[in-house]
Amino acid sequence: PLERHSRWLQSFSKEEVKNLLSADIYKEVASINPYVKGEDQSSQGVLNSYVHSYLMDDVLVKVDRASMHYALETRAPFLGKEVVEFLTGLPYEYKLHSFTTKYLLKELMKDKLPKNIVYRKKKGFGIPVSEWLKKDWKPLVLETFSKEKISKQGIFNYDYVCKIIEEHLSGARNNRKKLWTLLMFQLWYDNWTLKK
């Protein structure tokens, strides 16, 4: 379960990493298991892993930064101490009932809110990164992943990176997540290597 969850969150599968990295770098990392190994491999263990990583270190951080930028105070009422303690103590089937997510919350609210609210599809707060990569950020992407820069750096396989970019720019495949991950890494890498 933890490996499945990690694969769902990651940008590149361990199979794709072989194509992404240069041969020399891949030799160095091939034996490393990229997946978190916890003692608790149960569904509850996956949920705990999610709460202590993605929720805490990613989602809540972004909400806090975005809201503070606009001087807004946000609240996460379902993360109150008593609520979390109560819900973590419940059997897992109350959290995911067959394939019904938020089962308990839906059961509690089905007579209090309109059905179109209770049973509507989950909607995230995504930003149009895919379009930005094709339009506004296209020059940055092409410059950052030029053959000269990638070859000099020696970390990535230029042909594979080029394929990901071409697929995305042509609309053949939405490689938003892959390109965003690579772009953030490259900008971080360039920033820190230039400071040395």
Side-chain angles (χ1 to χ4, degrees), residues 43-79:
S43 298
Q44 187 63 45
V46 172
L47 184 58
N48 289 339
S49 171
Y50 197 77
V51 166
H52 292 285
S53 59
Y54 183 62
L55 176 67
M56 186 171 73
D57 296 333
D58 186 43
V59 175
L60 293 176
V61 172
K62 289 175 184 171
V63 168
D64 188 53
R65 287 179 183 164
S67 62
M68 288 297 104
H69 179 78
Y70 293 99
L72 293 173
E73 189 64 42
T74 58
R75 294 283 183 261
F78 293 133
L79 295 179

Side-chain angles (χ1 to χ4, degrees), residues 19-59:
N19 295 322
L20 173 67
L21 299 176
S22 69
D24 291 340
I25 296 294
Y26 184 73
K27 276 188 230 168
E28 294 289 324
V29 301
S31 63
I32 299 171
N33 182 354
Y35 303 113
V36 176
K37 289 293 181 195
E39 290 181 24
D40 187 355
Q41 296 284 317
S42 67
S43 298
Q44 187 63 45
V46 172
L47 184 58
N48 289 339
S49 171
Y50 197 77
V51 166
H52 292 285
S53 59
Y54 183 62
L55 176 67
M56 186 171 73
D57 296 333
D58 186 43
V59 175

Side-chain angles (χ1 to χ4, degrees), residues 6 18 30 41 51 58 65 69-71 73-75 96 98 102 131 145 155 158 177:
S6 296
K18 185 173 185 176
Q41 296 284 317
V51 166
D58 186 43
R65 287 179 183 164
H69 179 78
Y70 293 99
E73 189 64 42
T74 58
R75 294 283 183 261
L96 181 64
S98 296
K102 300 183 183 181
E131 289 304 307
F145 298 108
I155 295 175
Y158 173 76
K177 192 172 182 180

Side-chain angles (χ1 to χ4, degrees), residues 94-110:
Y94 286 112
K95 299 164 195 167
L96 181 64
H97 188 75
S98 296
F99 286 102
T100 303
T101 57
K102 300 183 183 181
Y103 172 72
L104 194 58
L105 183 60
K106 288 174 181 173
E107 284 296 302
L108 288 169
M109 301 311 292
K110 68 183 180 184

Side-chain angles (χ1 to χ4, degrees), residues 121-150:
K121 286 186 124 184
K122 190 172 179 177
K123 185 168 173 46
F125 298 102
I127 55 175
V129 171
S130 182
E131 289 304 307
W132 291 345
L133 290 164
K134 286 180 184 176
K135 295 176 183 168
D136 300 3
W137 295 348
K138 181 180 175 181
L140 174 65
V141 169
L142 296 176
E143 179 190 339
T144 302
F145 298 108
S146 70
K147 186 166 189 169
E148 180 187 347
K149 284 181 94 170
I150 295 298

Side-chain angles (χ1 to χ4, degrees), residues 1-11 34-36:
L2 280 175
E3 183 172 323
R4 279 198 308 270
H5 182 70
S6 296
R7 280 180 173 256
W8 176 69
L9 286 175
Q10 71 192 31
S11 299
Y35 303 113
V36 176

Side-chain angles (χ1 to χ4, degrees), residues 175-191:
N175 287 327
R176 167 199 54 83
K177 192 172 182 180
K178 289 178 170 62
L179 283 176
W180 175 259
T181 301
L182 288 173
L183 184 62
M184 291 305 106
F185 172 81
Q186 281 302 121
L187 295 176
W188 169 85
Y189 179 89
D190 291 347
N191 183 54

